[in-house]
Amino acid sequence: MSEVVAIIPARGGSKGIPRKNLQRVGGVPLVARAIEAARRCPALDRVVVTTDDAEIAAVAAEWGAEVVDRPVDLSGDEARSETALLHALETLEARKLDVSVVAFLQATSPFIDVEALTAAVQLVRSRRRDSVFSAVETYGFLWEKGLGGAAEPVNHEIDVRPRRQDREPHYLETGAFYVVRAAGFRAAEHRFFGSVGIAEVDPRTAIEIDSPHELELARRLAPLVDGGARDRAISVDAVVTDFDGVHTDDTVRVDQNGLESVTVSRSDGMGVSLLRAAGIPFLILSTESNPVVAARARKLGVDVRQAAADKAAVLREWAADRGIPLSRIAYLGNDVNDLACLELVGWPVAVPDAHPLVLSAARTVLDSPGGEGAVRDLAERVLAGASSAATGAPRAGEPAGRGAATDHPTAPLEAS
């Protein structure tokens, strides 16, 4: 039986942004975001990442994609995406897989509109179109620099300024995805051939990351585009938390003898108890060396590591000792000394009053502040994720998109 396959090319090298495909947006590596979008698309049967990089391959496998080893000579700065796709198709054919439709997804587009992608696949599968690409509608007046740098109009007359309602729109290619008939693509060796259609996507999703500025912009947009309800259920195998600002409100009381005390939430204690009952390992990881941290860990019956100057190294060691992949750990933090850990794990989580850099690094921001139920909030989400995994139910809170694939036939276009 023939299949519809998503192929995600992801080179290890990048001139503009080092290790670009592994950079995180909304707490998730770019290549993983593309995989996640593809896996949420009901029209796709299989997700494949083609890469020359071992770390990208490992991340791809952790996030549920198959991996094709991309040859070095097809991975340079001058290599065309088409050559990587053709090589991947040849590899899949050697694996006895019959591919009828290819969805080419770009990891550098962090906000892939899943509904629009689904509609695009349907257009190609129905043979109404041979190739479909993602685009946003625009009514902009375009200009180019002509002789001597003088401005010249591209899509309008220089002396005519029609109102928006009196104009036909143009469509700007976003680069997020291209869906093609596999046989036609092999023959043309180009993503645009035959009858070409347009899949309109939400303009908020149209950013493509090629520069540090665009990466930072995407990170700031992520909470808006991903949606506040995303990732209510957190599917992980272990939970690690900071202490101050997470189990506490980040304040401390000091008496006349210099003794410190903090206030914690009984609700958090119940949340940890529920995690323990579900068999989910829990670690408190703190840079401080304070008896109150050890006392709280003993009360909760969980692991604790204190005086951790290099929290990331301690986290790696703890996870390795228990055979838990870092991608299957949720880490809850609130301040800049948590950033290294947040960037290691599959599910970085922040309290709502965290430092702005921590909020930017988080995949999920909790509803409850530190010391006021944050740990219970996280525990309930982790337990919900475990329940969903056990029943096979889909995760709630997926990003919304316009998903309107418009049936606009166009002439074959040149490669971008």
Side-chain angles (χ1 to χ4, degrees):
M1 180 181 295
S2 63
E3 294 189 10
V4 180
V5 178
I7 300 179
I8 305 167
R11 297 188 302 117
S14 174
K15 285 184 176 179
I17 304 174
R19 311 294 287 158
K20 178 168 63 175
N21 288 309
L22 291 172
Q23 294 292 327
R24 295 190 174 214
V25 170
V28 180
L30 285 172
V31 67
R33 290 183 70 97
I35 294 167
E36 184 187 41
R39 294 188 67 190
R40 289 190 287 109
C41 177
L44 296 175
D45 301 310
R46 190 181 301 261
V47 184
V48 175
V49 170
T50 170
T51 184
D52 62 325
D53 185 88
E55 187 177 1
I56 291 175
V59 171
E62 288 176 356
W63 283 81
E66 297 180 29
V67 177
V68 167
D69 292 327
R70 184 171 171 180
V72 174
D73 60 336
L74 301 183
S75 303
D77 292 332
E78 303 300 321
R80 298 170 61 236
S81 296
E82 278 82 352
T83 59
L85 295 174
L86 289 168
H87 172 264
L89 283 173
E90 291 172 1
T91 303
L92 294 176
E93 184 178 62
R95 296 177 184 176
K96 309 301 182 184
L97 182 66
D98 180 20
V99 180
S100 59
V101 175
V102 174
F104 162 30
L105 275 59
Q106 300 214 94
T108 49
S109 294
F111 308 119
I112 294 174
D113 189 325
V114 175
E115 291 182 15
L117 173 61
T118 303
V121 171
Q122 292 169 346
L123 278 177
V124 175
R125 288 191 68 179
S126 68
R127 294 186 173 270
R128 294 172 65 192
R129 293 289 173 261
D130 298 301
S131 169
V132 177
F133 66 95
S134 60
V136 290
E137 186 180 78
T138 177
Y139 288 84
F141 292 106
L142 301 182
W143 296 78
E144 63 183 359
K145 291 183 178 180
L147 186 63
E152 296 182 358
V154 173
N155 64 341
H156 63 285
E157 297 296 329
I158 197 167
D159 57 347
V160 178
R161 305 293 291 182
R163 299 175 302 170
R164 178 186 177 97
Q165 59 266 37
D166 296 328
R167 303 173 59 207
E168 292 297 322
H170 289 85
Y171 293 89
L172 177 66
E173 187 179 336
T174 70
F177 63 79
Y178 306 82
V179 181
V180 298
R181 285 194 306 104
F185 175 70
R186 283 174 179 251
E189 298 186 352
H190 196 280
R191 73 191 76 176
F192 299 113
F193 59 90
S195 178
V196 179
I198 296 172
E200 290 185 56
V201 299
D202 188 327
R204 297 179 304 168
T205 71
I207 186 171
E208 188 171 7
I209 298 173
D210 286 314
S211 69
H213 170 75
E214 289 163 336
L215 176 60
E216 180 59 27
L217 178 60
R219 286 170 171 166
R220 293 179 180 273
L221 283 173
L224 172 66
V225 179
D226 288 343
R230 184 180 184 219
D231 296 336
R232 292 293 305 183
I234 296 178
S235 178
V236 291
D237 298 328
V239 174
V240 179
T241 73
D242 186 22
F243 188 76
D244 293 321
V246 171
H247 289 261
T248 76
D249 62 1
D250 214 19
T251 62
V252 61
R253 281 157 292 285
V254 183
D255 67 15
Q256 64 271 24
N257 298 314
L259 296 177
E260 297 183 356
S261 63
V262 297
T263 299
V264 296
S265 168
R266 290 190 181 277
S267 175
D268 286 347
M270 178 56 71
V272 174
S273 177
L274 293 172
L275 289 174
R276 290 182 57 211
I280 297 172
F282 192 103
L283 169 68
I284 296 175
L285 179 55
S286 176
T287 55
E288 299 291 329
S289 181
N290 193 324
V292 74
V293 180
R296 183 58 175 165
R298 284 195 302 272
K299 174 73 173 179
L300 297 176
V302 299
D303 289 345
V304 61
R305 299 290 187 275
Q306 292 195 76
D310 187 343
K311 296 178 76 171
V314 175
L315 174 56
R316 284 184 185 275
E317 181 182 5
W318 182 84
D321 287 346
R322 285 152 185 77
I324 303 171
L326 290 167
S327 61
R328 295 292 302 166
I329 293 176
Y331 183 94
L332 174 58
N334 75 305
D335 216 332
V336 292
N337 62 346
D338 294 310
L339 287 172
C341 292
L342 292 167
E343 292 168 358
L344 275 182
V345 301
W347 221 298
V349 186
V351 293
D353 53 348
H355 188 280
L357 290 176
V358 172
L359 294 174
S360 178
R363 182 174 176 180
T364 295
V365 177
L366 301 176
D367 297 325
S368 302
E372 299 180 28
V375 177
R376 177 65 175 270
D377 188 347
L378 175 58
E380 290 179 347
R381 297 179 192 227
V382 170
L383 292 168
S387 176
S388 295
T391 62
R395 190 182 67 214
E398 295 178 349
R402 267 171 69 182
T406 54
D407 191 14
H408 294 284
T410 70
L413 305 177
E414 294 301 318
S416 60

